[in-house]
Amino acid sequence: MASSLNNQPSKKSLRNSGGGSGGAGSSQGGARNNSSGGPTIKFARRTSSGRYVSLSRDDIEMSSELSGDYMNYTVHIPSTPDNQPTPDSSVAMKAEEQYVSNSLFTGGFNSVTRAHLMDKVIDSEVRHPQMAGAKGSACSICDGKVMTDERGHDVTPCECRYKICRDCFLDAQKETGLCPGCKEPYKVGEYEDDTEDTPDYASGALPLPAPNGSKQNPNNMSVMKRNQNGEFDHQKWLFESPLDYGHGTAIWPEDDDCDDDLKGEAFSLLEKPWKPLSRKMPIESRIMSPYRMLIVIRFVVLCFFLHWRVAHPNEDAIWLWLMSVTCEIWFAFSWLLDQVPKLCPINRTTDLSVLHEKFDSPSPDNPTGRSDLPGVDLFVSTADPEKEPPLVTANTILSILAVDYPVEKLACYVSDDGGALLTFEAMAEAASFANLWVPFCRKHNIEPRNPESYFSLKVDPTKNKSRTDFVKDRRRVKREYDEFKVRINGLPDSIRRRSDAFNAREEMKMMKHLKEKGADPSEPIKVLKATWMADGTHWPGTWASPSSEHAKGDHAGILQVMLKPPSPDPLLGRAEDKIIDFTEVDTRLPMFAYVSREKRPGYDHNKKAGAMNALVRASAILSNGPFILNLDCDHYIYNCRAIREGMCFMMDRGGEDICYIQFPQRFEGIDPSDSSYLFWFRYGRYANHNTVFFDGNMRALDGVQGPVYVGTGCMFRRFALYGFDPPLIDEKETKKNPKESSEAASDRPALNASEFDPDLDMNLLPKRFGNSTMLSESIPVSEYQGRPLADHPAVKYGRPPGVLREPREPLDASTVAEAVSVISCWYEDKTEWGDRVGWIYGSVTEDVVTGYRMHNRGWRSVYCITKRDAFRGSAPINLTDRLHQVLRWATGSVEIFFSKNNAFLASKRLKILQRLAYLNVGIYPFTSIFLVVYCFLPALSLFSGFFIVQTLSIAFLIYLLTITVCLILLALLEVKWSGVELEQWWRNEQFWLISGTSAHLAAVVQGLLKVMAGIEISFTLTSKSGGEEDEDMFADLYIVKWSSLMIPPIVIAMMNVIGIAVAFSRTIYSANPQWSKFIGGAFFSFWVLAHLYPFAKGLMGKRGKTPTIVFVWSGLIAITLSLLWIAISPPKGAEGQGVGGDFQFP
């Protein structure tokens, strides 16, 4: 079936979103009226080919012969005085939620939003009841599926247990109100699940005695006393019961009736001492004091050295002296920009036990221990299944679904910017396998929770495992995972064979149709080569054979809720449910949605930044988690408690002005098959791990205003992404009466958008955020729910405890349809998305720009280094891919330098050291110009016989020695406080020269071309390794792919090698050898060659195989330099005549 969901009322705007009292945290709004004055009714039929054809009611009435092929579908009519909505019963809620989770929503610009009900999502069997396409009983009226509960059991709304699907149930209620089975009226609010008669103790809902003391089935309680699962809600019963049951916020007994011990325990919970969730750990002064002193000493010595260099020119080679002095002045400036922000490094630590005590532990007012933590939306982005293998993305999704965080608080979104059916079905397979993998991880406390990484561990899997059934469970899960990988790897062939079969059927039908019409059989048959889904319908995204509206840059928006939102209470497994006993394990799965934004020709979709903004808007409507964690498809959660670690900072005192938590990026990659490369890969041959940057520079910035945003592994505050300033307290009022001002701030209710930003008019919300009312209404909700607890007088903007324990309302069709509309290609037109709101456009390094904008508004960020790595991923390991990655980063920095995001133009809210760090981000690529010149200077010195100074004087050598010793001591101390190893520091220095003479120089050229000539820069995705065996995983290491970026380093290396040989030969055969000049030039040449050694190893490939291009360049350069030397300074014969005769260099 297909339904039009355009212009529907927003049910979500009428619900309480879990805010505080007095409407705090709730979104309000009415239904939207249809612009035409009445609801637009659409009808659709599914043709024999599997396609959906829509017609209006007039078309149906005009053609009676077609009326039997069309089915009327439920139309959501806005509320009017004569059309008031009836209270939602549990059956209606389950029906709506099941319909949403089984429907593929599509829509876009100038098109109707449709929900395609899918009986089958993938070819394999779907097991989990939360997943789309889950198996169930057939409806007694049509072929649809019967409504099910959280365990997948049938839900029958009538006592006669007549099985009926959602559509037929709603039609029966609307038309007659009678059950089609027993012909009796439906008793709204009373029903029985088709389950056992015995109480369900495993589900966590225990039967309680009725108020009159009689035994009563809790299923017969009123709907008002049920939660959204149809189970008995204890808290509502406490409020409505006339008895004094329990001691919480529902009823507080009189002092005479209260037991003294219990009363004392309740008050002791309130009087517990306040504990911080995180602490700052300053670096020891015995390390930082000499470190800062050495920075000052080296700076002073540099000033004296540069003054001496300027005052003592080399008159014999003034050109050599001028180039060297210019480069050295720039290097001193660049060193200052990099070194000064490192003056205040700090460490941080978190206390997860305190977090659990404050938010998850049972209490008198929370006897079930329902979590009070805020929601988190996790984003995973992918674009091309050929370069980003679906198996890698699927493993990342599985690690997210198994994370240690309240299940009902999580929502995972995968953005498929390519709109590929392969990615869609791979994600569906991952959701299906999560039915087994996630409870297995919870049962045995598995780490890491990426199945590929877990089963590839080289350690004993039984270590620290005490359950006797672990080995048996692991063996079964390993077998299931191997079958899962086979299904994923076989998806491309399965989709191709399925599409070929359906396309052949369409051709046969077309041939039959043409034959009946008497057409010429010799004429070629034109049938679109479509890509078909498992349920026999056209895939609305990109086809294998692209056509109009089905290509990578031209397809509708797609949204599929793969896993519907879970129930708020734990759902314990049963021994007979699965192949593994999950009796004591929560089997719920987080919400999971597949999103592919609409793309149309002529629109600038802004690459990854545009895809992330589409996810921000869609998630705000579907789940609206106050915090967002974004991951690349190849970065998985290595520490299942990483989100809790980050939440310790967000929920701590002073956390209201933190815009994001940046985690360090850790990479996997040690080649075990070749022992000669162990040293290189332990530290990264090309500094692939970026350890010095993540553990040095980022840790240092954490002591200023916070680390820069560097992409994957970052947890955002959604409110900060919306472009608002951090909450500020009136300092004068705080100084007058700090206690009262703090109490007033902590009790501050949810604010509206104009209170967030005084310059923002409520009537101009569409100008900033677009015309979605639901999106605008979600902003104050996310701001309020993201506040820390008001459990300390120093908390400026807080919320009362317990306001986030309310269960989330199930999704309805109108809500999902609204989410589809906000991912359309036109939604951002004439709004501030990408300019002030969300990820910022205009740079290939959108991450750095986005973080800079937040810091510039006064927000601060935090660097969270966990004891166990939070996330792990893959990095480019061969030379070419690594250089292109650095090229993209450097090009983005050049774009930043020439844009309004230059730190020179920052506001006063950006601290001085933070400003210097951002200045360095935009300036560092320009160092490559001076670095290339300086790397040629030793060779030029050796060729010419002159040095950068007139003579190697004592002053020059002392300055040089002092600067070098200071640099070595600074490196040792930096290694000490940052935790990196000395080899890692040296590997980073080597790649700094390699990238500076290749990628950075090309970035400067490309950036200048873009600024001056307007030439746009395009980059391709970095391929992710999809190899399963160790040999395949590191196959790319030894591949030498030629790139023009390699030309400058090759030329520099060859020039220095030849220069050393020429100078050495000349010095030996000279009548008066000048060894001091040769040693000076040779020393700097060896300095250059030592830094280029990893580059030379990369060119050699595996087992010393040298590409032909290296010999070509070497020979060409050697011949050219030889001829040049003969022409400039020909050797003299015995009588002073040139040996070369009359040869002249042209």
Side-chain angles (χ1 to χ4, degrees):
M1 299 178 182
S3 65
S4 170
L5 300 173
N6 195 22
N7 296 323
Q8 293 183 359
S10 172
K11 293 183 179 180
K12 199 170 187 177
S13 63
L14 302 176
R15 301 175 186 150
N16 191 318
S17 300
S21 60
S26 63
S27 57
Q28 297 178 355
R32 290 169 291 162
N33 295 327
N34 193 298
S35 58
S36 60
T40 302
I41 303 177
K42 294 289 183 181
F43 295 86
R45 70 179 177 89
R46 179 172 166 180
T47 64
S48 58
S49 65
R51 288 172 293 183
Y52 291 94
V53 180
S54 300
L55 291 179
S56 64
R57 181 180 294 275
D58 297 335
D59 296 330
I60 297 176
E61 292 176 353
M62 292 175 60
S63 178
S64 59
E65 60 185 11
L66 295 177
S67 60
D69 292 337
Y70 289 84
M71 297 184 64
N72 192 352
Y73 187 66
T74 305
V75 178
H76 296 274
I77 304 176
S79 301
T80 58
D82 57 344
N83 178 35
Q84 292 295 325
T86 58
D88 285 340
S89 66
S90 296
V91 178
M93 293 167 65
K94 288 178 180 291
E96 183 78 3
E97 188 177 25
Q98 183 178 353
Y99 165 73
V100 169
S101 64
N102 286 327
S103 298
L104 179 73
F105 287 77
T106 61
F109 181 63
N110 285 337
S111 61
V112 176
T113 302
R114 288 195 176 88
H116 305 294
L117 190 60
M118 301 179 66
D119 297 331
K120 189 177 183 182
V121 180
I122 51 178
D123 292 328
S124 57
E125 181 182 359
V126 175
R127 301 171 182 174
H128 201 280
Q130 281 182 239
M131 185 180 170
K135 61 181 180 179
S137 303
C139 174
S140 302
I141 300 176
C142 65
D143 295 333
K145 291 183 179 180
V146 176
M147 298 174 289
T148 57
D149 61 8
E150 286 69 27
R151 296 187 180 276
H153 298 149
D154 295 341
V155 172
T156 52
C158 185
E159 295 179 352
C160 69
R161 299 180 182 271
Y162 185 79
K163 294 184 177 182
I164 188 171
C165 67
R166 178 251 192 195
D167 300 317
C168 297
F169 170 71
L170 295 179
D171 289 341
Q173 275 194 323
K174 180 180 178 181
E175 295 174 0
T176 62
L178 302 178
C179 171
C182 62
K183 308 301 180 185
E184 293 290 333
Y186 278 117
K187 299 177 181 178
V188 179
E190 295 186 7
Y191 73 98
E192 293 182 1
D193 291 349
D194 189 11
T195 57
E196 300 176 2
D197 295 334
T198 58
D200 183 13
Y201 295 98
S203 64
L206 303 179
L208 295 178
N212 57 6
S214 62
K215 292 183 178 180
Q216 184 176 355
N217 189 346
N219 281 339
N220 293 332
M221 298 296 290
S222 67
V223 175
M224 295 302 296
K225 297 179 185 178
R226 296 174 184 270
N227 58 20
Q228 64 174 347
N229 305 328
E231 300 168 344
F232 183 77
D233 194 323
H234 304 277
Q235 294 184 359
K236 294 181 180 180
W237 190 86
L238 291 178
F239 277 103
E240 296 178 9
S241 172
L243 299 180
D244 295 342
Y245 178 86
H247 305 285
T249 56
I251 296 177
W252 189 260
E254 300 294 335
D255 294 339
D256 297 337
D257 300 333
C258 179
D259 184 70
D260 293 336
D261 295 336
L262 187 58
K263 179 178 178 181
E265 180 182 356
F267 279 108
S268 66
L269 291 174
L270 299 176
E271 295 176 355
K272 283 185 177 181
W274 181 86
K275 298 179 182 179
L277 295 172
S278 62
R279 298 178 185 272
K280 285 185 180 180
M281 308 291 290
I283 309 295
E284 297 179 6
S285 58
R286 64 183 181 88
I287 297 177
M288 291 309 304
S289 295
Y291 181 76
R292 292 167 180 148
M293 182 181 65
L294 282 171
I295 292 176
V296 175
I297 292 175
R298 192 169 193 262
F299 172 71
V300 173
V301 174
L302 273 174
C303 293
F304 282 109
F305 173 71
L306 293 175
H307 177 267
W308 184 90
R309 291 279 285 121
V310 172
H312 295 79
N314 185 356
E315 301 294 345
D316 297 334
I318 197 70
W319 56 274
L320 195 63
W321 168 83
L322 183 61
M323 287 193 297
S324 62
V325 169
T326 303
C327 293
E328 288 163 1
I329 293 175
W330 179 267
F331 292 153
F333 170 70
S334 178
W335 175 80
L336 275 179
L337 287 182
D338 179 69
Q339 197 69 51
V340 172
K342 296 181 182 179
L343 291 174
C344 307
I346 61 171
N347 291 322
R348 297 181 186 268
T349 182
T350 59
D351 195 335
L352 295 180
S353 61
V354 176
L355 183 76
H356 179 271
E357 180 182 346
K358 286 187 177 183
F359 295 92
D360 294 328
S361 60
S363 60
D365 60 341
N366 183 27
T368 60
R370 183 176 288 179
S371 178
D372 195 27
L373 285 170
V376 179
D377 294 339
L378 295 99
F379 296 169
V380 178
S381 57
T382 182
D384 190 346
E386 295 182 0
K387 295 185 177 181
E388 299 169 331
L391 182 59
V392 175
T393 308
N395 279 300
T396 299
I397 296 299
L398 289 170
S399 71
I400 292 174
L401 298 180
V403 73
D404 182 9
Y405 199 79
V407 182
E408 67 277 10
K409 305 288 185 177
L410 288 174
C412 177
Y413 298 84
V414 59
S415 170
D416 179 17
D417 227 24
L421 179 60
L422 175 58
T423 304
F424 175 83
E425 295 199 0
M427 296 303 99
E429 289 283 0
S432 179
F433 179 69
N435 179 47
L436 182 66
W437 172 252
V438 173
F440 169 72
C441 292
R442 293 172 181 163
K443 178 179 179 181
H444 297 290
N445 194 24
I446 299 299
E447 287 281 14
R449 299 192 173 182
N450 176 327
E452 183 66 31
S453 298
Y454 171 70
F455 290 120
S456 300
L457 292 177
K458 305 300 182 183
V459 298
D460 182 10
T462 61
K463 185 179 181 180
N464 300 326
K465 298 295 185 291
S466 58
R467 299 184 66 116
T468 57
D469 56 350
F470 169 72
V471 175
K472 179 182 64 175
D473 291 351
R474 185 181 186 276
R475 188 182 303 115
R476 290 179 177 177
V477 174
K478 179 65 168 64
R479 183 181 66 249
E480 292 290 330
Y481 177 65
D482 290 338
E483 295 177 358
F484 164 75
K485 290 198 295 184
V486 171
R487 291 196 300 271
I488 294 289
N489 295 332
L491 279 178
D493 186 59
S494 174
I495 294 172
R496 180 187 57 79
R497 287 187 285 104
R498 180 203 309 152
S499 300
D500 290 344
F502 280 110
N503 288 329
R505 187 192 67 178
E506 290 296 298
E507 290 183 3
M508 294 295 295
K509 288 184 177 181
M510 181 64 71
M511 291 176 59
K512 182 179 179 181
H513 179 69
L514 293 177
K515 186 176 181 181
E516 292 176 353
K517 292 179 61 177
D520 186 3
S522 61
E523 294 182 359
I525 302 175
K526 297 181 180 180
V527 178
L528 292 176
K529 299 296 182 181
T531 299
W532 296 74
M533 293 187 289
D535 67 338
T537 58
H538 283 176
W539 169 243
T542 303
W543 288 355
S545 299
S547 65
S548 178
E549 298 187 356
H550 293 285
K552 281 190 175 181
D554 183 16
H555 62 79
I558 308 169
L559 197 156
Q560 168 76 63
V561 180
M562 295 283 188
L563 294 171
K564 64 184 180 181
S567 58
D569 298 314
L571 189 67
L572 303 184
R574 295 175 178 174
E576 66 275 7
D577 288 345
K578 301 178 179 68
I579 62 175
I580 297 179
D581 183 9
F582 292 138
T583 304
E584 301 176 358
V585 181
D586 187 4
T587 60
R588 296 175 301 163
L589 297 178
M591 173 184 166
F592 175 40
Y594 169 90
V595 180
S596 181
R597 58 178 174 149
E598 182 192 18
K599 286 190 171 182
R600 298 300 179 193
Y603 283 86
D604 184 4
H605 302 292
N606 296 297
K607 302 181 178 66
K608 182 180 178 179
M612 299 302 291
N613 284 339
L615 285 185
V616 171
R617 296 190 296 271
S619 63
I621 293 174
L622 296 178
S623 54
N624 198 30
F627 300 100
I628 295 173
L629 174 63
N630 75 292
L631 295 172
D632 289 344
C633 65
D634 60 328
H635 273 71
Y636 66 91
I637 297 180
Y638 188 74
N639 181 353
C640 68
R641 313 192 82 182
I643 299 179
R644 291 182 178 270
E645 298 259 12
M647 205 57 68
C648 286
F649 298 106
M650 292 292 193
M651 294 291 103
D652 202 5
R653 180 182 60 183
E656 64 275 357
D657 62 348
I658 297 177
C659 56
Y660 60 81
I661 307 292
Q662 178 67 61
F663 294 87
Q665 297 178 13
R666 305 300 188 198
F667 304 99
E668 297 174 330
I670 296 178
D671 185 5
S673 62
D674 189 351
S675 59
S676 64
Y677 287 96
L678 284 177
F679 173 80
W680 294 101
F681 257 88
R682 182 183 176 188
Y683 309 108
R685 181 191 289 180
Y686 312 114
N688 312 65
H689 294 185
N690 292 324
T691 311
V692 174
F693 172 76
F694 284 111
D695 289 352
N697 299 60
M698 299 286 275
R699 195 194 301 263
L701 288 177
D702 196 17
V704 185
Q705 198 172 343
V708 297
Y709 168 41
V710 290
T712 182
C714 186
M715 186 167 72
F716 284 95
R717 183 182 299 275
R718 182 185 289 270
F719 181 68
L721 269 177
Y722 286 150
F724 293 106
D725 294 338
L728 300 174
I729 300 294
D730 190 349
E731 297 181 359
K732 296 181 179 179
E733 181 181 349
T734 305
K735 292 179 180 179
K736 290 180 180 179
N737 198 338
K739 184 176 181 180
E740 292 183 4
S741 61
S742 298
E743 292 177 355
S746 63
D747 294 335
R748 192 183 302 272
L751 308 177
N752 57 42
S754 61
E755 292 175 299
F756 299 145
D757 187 352
D759 299 330
L760 178 63
D761 188 354
M762 289 294 293
N763 297 324
L764 298 180
L765 276 177
K767 171 66 177 175
R768 178 173 294 186
F769 300 101
N771 58 4
S772 173
T773 304
M774 295 179 67
L775 176 61
S776 300
E777 291 172 347
S778 70
I779 296 174
V781 178
S782 63
E783 187 275 334
Y784 185 81
Q785 294 181 355
R787 297 179 184 178
L789 287 182
D791 58 352
H792 191 275
V795 176
K796 298 178 181 179
Y797 273 73
R799 59 173 175 84
V803 297
L804 299 185
R805 293 178 187 144
E806 291 296 322
R808 177 192 301 174
E809 291 289 341
L811 296 177
D812 55 27
S814 61
T815 302
V816 183
E818 183 78 3
V820 173
S821 68
V822 299
I823 63 173
S824 60
C825 59
W826 57 267
Y827 186 84
E828 294 183 354
D829 290 350
K830 299 180 180 180
T831 67
E832 295 186 13
W833 284 97
D835 180 42
R836 177 189 176 98
V837 182
W839 270 259
I840 306 302
Y841 302 152
S843 175
V844 295
T845 52
E846 71 285 337
D847 43 9
V848 177
V849 178
T850 303
Y852 164 76
R853 291 288 187 90
M854 295 181 184
H855 284 141
N856 197 35
R857 286 194 291 268
W859 293 93
R860 65 185 181 95
S861 57
V862 168
Y863 197 52
C864 180
I865 300 180
T866 56
K867 185 176 181 180
R868 178 184 175 87
D869 294 344
F871 312 102
R872 282 193 178 181
S874 61
I877 59 177
N878 69 66
L879 179 60
T880 307
D881 288 344
R882 175 66 168 150
L883 288 178
H884 280 92
Q885 182 189 55
V886 175
L887 172 64
R888 182 173 63 85
W889 294 343
T891 305
S893 295
V894 176
E895 292 175 341
I896 292 173
F897 181 80
F898 288 109
S899 70
K900 61 182 179 180
N901 299 309
N902 193 315
F904 280 116
L905 309 175
S907 67
K908 295 181 180 179
R909 295 182 178 180
L910 193 68
K911 295 183 179 180
I912 181 63
L913 293 183
Q914 195 79 15
R915 187 187 300 264
L916 290 177
Y918 276 113
L919 280 175
N920 188 40
V921 169
I923 290 176
Y924 82 88
F926 295 95
T927 304
S928 61
I929 300 174
F930 303 91
L931 185 60
V932 169
V933 173
Y934 207 73
C935 288
F936 276 113
L937 287 182
L940 296 176
S941 174
L942 293 170
F943 281 128
S944 63
F946 301 106
F947 194 47
I948 58 177
V949 293
Q950 189 94 25
T951 58
L952 291 177
S953 64
I954 300 298
F956 175 78
L957 293 177
I958 291 177
Y959 282 133
L960 188 63
L961 180 62
T962 306
I963 292 173
T964 305
V965 170
C966 287
L967 178 63
I968 294 173
L969 294 177
L970 281 173
L972 293 175
L973 290 174
E974 186 170 331
V975 162
K976 189 72 175 176
W977 64 254
S978 65
V980 302
E981 299 184 28
L982 189 59
E983 290 85 353
Q984 293 173 323
W985 179 88
W986 169 238
R987 201 67 59 231
N988 185 77
E989 290 296 307
Q990 286 180 310
F991 192 74
W992 169 77
L993 189 140
I994 295 171
S995 59
T997 56
S998 56
H1000 294 176
L1001 183 63
V1004 173
V1005 175
Q1006 290 185 352
L1008 292 175
L1009 288 175
K1010 181 178 180 181
V1011 173
M1012 296 179 180
I1015 300 176
E1016 288 294 332
I1017 307 164
S1018 62
F1019 294 93
T1020 57
L1021 285 173
T1022 302
S1023 299
K1024 275 70 176 179
S1025 176
E1028 299 172 11
E1029 302 297 333
D1030 293 334
E1031 188 173 339
D1032 294 331
M1033 184 182 300
F1034 298 96
D1036 289 345
L1037 168 63
Y1038 312 105
I1039 297 176
V1040 181
K1041 295 181 285 188
W1042 173 250
S1043 171
S1044 59
L1045 298 176
M1046 298 178 180
I1047 296 176
I1050 290 177
V1051 174
I1052 290 173
M1054 295 305 301
M1055 287 281 288
N1056 280 274
V1057 170
I1058 297 174
I1060 292 174
V1062 170
F1064 182 74
S1065 301
R1066 183 181 59 223
T1067 305
I1068 288 179
Y1069 292 105
S1070 174
N1072 186 19
Q1074 307 245 347
W1075 288 104
S1076 61
K1077 292 185 178 180
F1078 168 74
I1079 292 174
F1083 172 80
F1084 284 105
S1085 288
F1086 279 117
W1087 177 84
V1088 173
L1089 294 175
H1091 283 75
L1092 290 176
Y1093 179 69
F1095 178 81
K1097 290 285 290 185
L1099 287 180
M1100 294 299 175
K1102 193 173 184 180
R1103 300 183 184 92
K1105 294 180 179 179
T1106 305
T1108 308
I1109 190 66
V1110 175
F1111 294 104
V1112 174
W1113 272 103
S1114 301
L1116 181 61
I1117 293 174
I1119 293 172
T1120 304
L1121 291 175
S1122 300
L1123 294 175
L1124 184 63
W1125 177 254
I1126 292 174
I1128 295 175
S1129 181
K1132 304 294 183 180
E1135 299 179 358
Q1137 300 294 327
V1139 177
D1142 296 332
F1143 174 80
Q1144 292 183 354
F1145 189 77

